[in-house]
Amino acid sequence: MIKIGVKYCGGCNPRFDRGAMFHSIQSRLEEAHFEHAKEGVNYDALLVVSGCTNNCASYKQYKYNKGVVHVKDSGELDKAILELKRIMED
Amino acid sequence: MLMTGEQYIESLRKLKTRVYMFGEQVENWVDHPIIRPSINCVAMTYKLAHEPEYSDLMTAKSNLTGETVNRFGHIHQNTDDLRKKVKMQRLLGQKTASCFQRCVGMDAFNAEYSTTFEIDAAHGTDYHPRFVDFLKEVQAGDWTVDGAMTDPKGDRGLGPSNQKDPDLFLRVVEQRPDGIVVRGAKAHQTGCVNSHWHLVMPTQAMRPEDKDYAVSFACPSDVEGLYMIYGRQSCDTRKMEEDHGMDVGNQQFGGQEALVVFDDVFIPNKYVFLNGETEFATMLVERFAGYHRQSYGGCKVGVGDVLIGAAALAADYNGANKASHIKDKLIEMTHLNETLYCCGIACSAEGYATDSGAYQIDLLLANVCKQNVTRFPYEIVRLAEDIAGGLMVTMPANKDFQSDLPVAKNGDTIGDICNKYFAASPAATTMERMKVLRLIENMCLGTAAVGYRTESMHGAGSPQAQRIMIARQGNIEAKKELAKVIAGIK
């Protein structure tokens, strides 16, 4: 099972519900394992959920092999799922 | 170590801090109903550091140890750190609707870090390594530290060494081989009772004759000779009333200020960071004030977010939410609030590296930020009161709404009558409507107005202090030259 680290921005002025966004993604990708990103852990991919287009969440400290998927707008749900599926298929 | 909110509260119980209120010593100040909401606010700065949805703002990597520390104990390493500081403050304002108090320590750390570096370069002193050692202790213990600047100041027309009572500015009264003895006080100290330590700075620029007053040091809150006299807030004793319920407006959180008295307190040399180098008092004061003026572009914005939300809820509950003037007032409140945020972000984005490597905000933009903060929250409050209606200050007490005392001819109780006559839109129960009006009252003219209104005016320096800095940084002469070129004047 593919392992995806989840990283949120700090949520100072989010324009959408970041938690709900993540849960929507998670519910549509049951074949992936998601966990809050931790330093020192190897992930297949990172999912960075930022509450606005500034996308200020820091994520360079985490290890990942295949790629990073960013969500920074409420309209990016399908796009994020598609990108994650592509990573899973690689 | 990152403490949890619960660990922070328990850590306060271990202190022997001397606190006085209403003419008496408060033995269990941690659980005192007037003080506890302010402790809950600081506890939020610990709690959110452990939550994945907020930790990106609430924590940072220490430049001293490489460890993850609470951002309140961090030295800004770049403009990204400066921006995240403001964002963290907005977040905490949203979560508490109050002053969460821990910013003064963070701003003092950053001012001390770069200033001590430059004092050492000029004088060959060892203040910077002493301060770094102290800050490592702070980060390791995840302490809350009161950044203490404001002296009582006595006669404003006289300098520190010209006052009739020399204690009106904090000073060194004895130099010893192993340390100094200090006497005086710091006024309006935000969060001082809730702090593990105090970090004291001079209050203003010092002249050569004010050498004893050019002093900076750190000491524990319960050091021998230190005590605090708690500051009153509007409507504060509502918190002590039995069954106050919604009457306090914000049942969980609040701010705190007190007078901190130093009654001949001994400070070991390792905690002394300025001792007579009068010319560096200005740098320390200006850097601290700059950071703190930046801070207000975050914290007050977060509190403003809650007030805007409360006003919008009041409009919903009053049944007035579809009125175009209500919508326009909410837009105006949002515009004003986001303008403050723009200033906080802008002075951060334009920050620069000091000689120590730590980052400082843009001083002109930070002073413009704070100058706007002396005005816009008042307008936001005015609009909130406009939307809320007069009931926010005329409604009966929580006890009346709960009362089962029959008063009407048909046997209806006081509670029945209150619920009948203060009902409005079916969007909310009468009690929900009353709760949001009490919250607006709390923020506009109750205990939280200390933080949102008067602190916005005078905290981090009164309006004239910013205007002096704006005048210094504004470069009017360059603007005249611009106009001359355009006008064809040689």
Side-chain angles (χ1 to χ4, degrees), chain B residues 223-282:
Chain B
V223 69
E224 197 279 322
L226 191 152
Y227 55 90
M228 306 178 215
I229 303 171
Y230 208 83
R232 291 212 68 171
Q233 296 178 332
S234 171
C235 310
D236 54 3
T237 48
R238 283 192 193 181
K239 294 172 183 171
M240 298 178 74
E241 293 171 4
E242 202 178 333
D243 300 328
H244 56 64
M246 67 171 176
D247 287 350
V248 296
N250 184 341
Q251 300 195 44
Q252 280 183 276
F253 303 109
Q256 172 195 106
E257 283 79 25
L259 177 74
V260 184
V261 181
F262 298 80
D263 186 5
D264 289 356
V265 175
F266 174 71
I267 310 294
N269 282 330
K270 68 181 288 198
Y271 295 121
V272 177
F273 313 126
L274 176 75
N275 188 6
E277 295 82 3
T278 51
E279 74 274 26
F280 279 95
T282 304

Side-chain angles (χ1 to χ4, degrees), chain B residues 41-308:
Chain B
C41 261
V42 184
M44 185 61 82
T45 71
Y46 290 89
K47 179 176 182 283
L48 295 186
H50 293 270
E51 298 187 9
E53 289 192 40
Y54 307 112
S55 61
D56 195 66
L57 294 181
M58 297 301 307
T59 62
K61 276 270 160 56
S62 168
N63 65 308
L64 307 178
T65 64
E67 297 291 319
T68 297
V69 296
N70 194 297
R71 190 174 294 279
F72 280 100
H74 181 55
I75 300 298
H76 313 304
Q77 296 299 298
N78 45 49
T79 55
D80 196 42
D81 273 346
L82 289 171
R83 280 195 301 271
K84 286 193 171 179
K85 171 200 164 187
V86 171
K87 293 179 178 191
M88 170 183 73
Q89 291 168 313
R90 182 171 189 170
L91 171 68
L92 282 159
Q94 292 168 348
K95 296 294 185 188
T96 60
S98 305
C99 170
F100 40 88
Q101 309 147 51
R102 208 174 167 187
C103 310
V104 280
M106 168 176 56
D107 292 339
F109 298 149
N110 279 275
E112 291 273 3
Y113 186 87
S114 62
T115 304
T116 52
F117 186 91
E118 293 182 41
I119 302 172
D120 289 359
H123 288 276
T125 45
D126 62 348
Y127 294 137
H128 187 67
R130 287 182 191 177
F131 181 73
V132 167
D133 287 345
F134 167 64
L135 190 57
K136 283 179 182 172
E137 289 183 55
V138 171
Q139 291 180 346
D142 202 7
W143 296 338
T144 288
V145 176
D146 166 36
M149 177 163 280
T150 309
D151 286 328
K153 295 197 286 282
D155 183 339
R156 269 57 173 173
L158 299 174
S161 49
N162 304 117
Q163 296 288 329
K164 190 175 173 188
D165 180 349
D167 296 344
L168 291 174
F169 285 75
L170 189 142
R171 65 197 170 113
V172 179
V173 292
E174 186 183 348
Q175 299 274 359
R176 294 183 189 170
D178 55 344
I180 56 175
V181 178
V182 297
R183 185 186 305 160
K186 292 290 180 182
H188 327 300
Q189 288 308 295
T190 298
C192 56
V193 174
N194 301 340
S195 296
H196 302 97
W197 278 65
H198 299 267
L199 177 52
V200 171
M201 299 162 283
T203 198
Q204 62 184 45
M206 297 289 170
R207 303 160 298 175
E209 60 266 36
D210 300 325
K211 201 172 176 186
D212 292 341
Y213 298 87
V215 62
S216 176
F217 60 87
C219 66
S221 287
D222 55 359
V223 69
E224 197 279 322
L226 191 152
Y227 55 90
M228 306 178 215
I229 303 171
Y230 208 83
R232 291 212 68 171
Q233 296 178 332
S234 171
C235 310
D236 54 3
T237 48
R238 283 192 193 181
K239 294 172 183 171
M240 298 178 74
E241 293 171 4
E242 202 178 333
D243 300 328
H244 56 64
M246 67 171 176
D247 287 350
V248 296
N250 184 341
Q251 300 195 44
Q252 280 183 276
F253 303 109
Q256 172 195 106
E257 283 79 25
L259 177 74
V260 184
V261 181
F262 298 80
D263 186 5
D264 289 356
V265 175
F266 174 71
I267 310 294
N269 282 330
K270 68 181 288 198
Y271 295 121
V272 177
F273 313 126
L274 176 75
N275 188 6
E277 295 82 3
T278 51
E279 74 274 26
F280 279 95
T282 304
M283 180 185 288
L284 190 50
V285 170
E286 285 189 359
R287 288 189 176 175
F288 172 80
Y291 285 124
H292 214 46
R293 289 168 194 175
Q294 169 210 27
S295 286
Y296 280 35
C299 64
K300 303 307 175 200
V301 179
V303 177
D305 285 329
V306 179
L307 185 54
I308 293 166

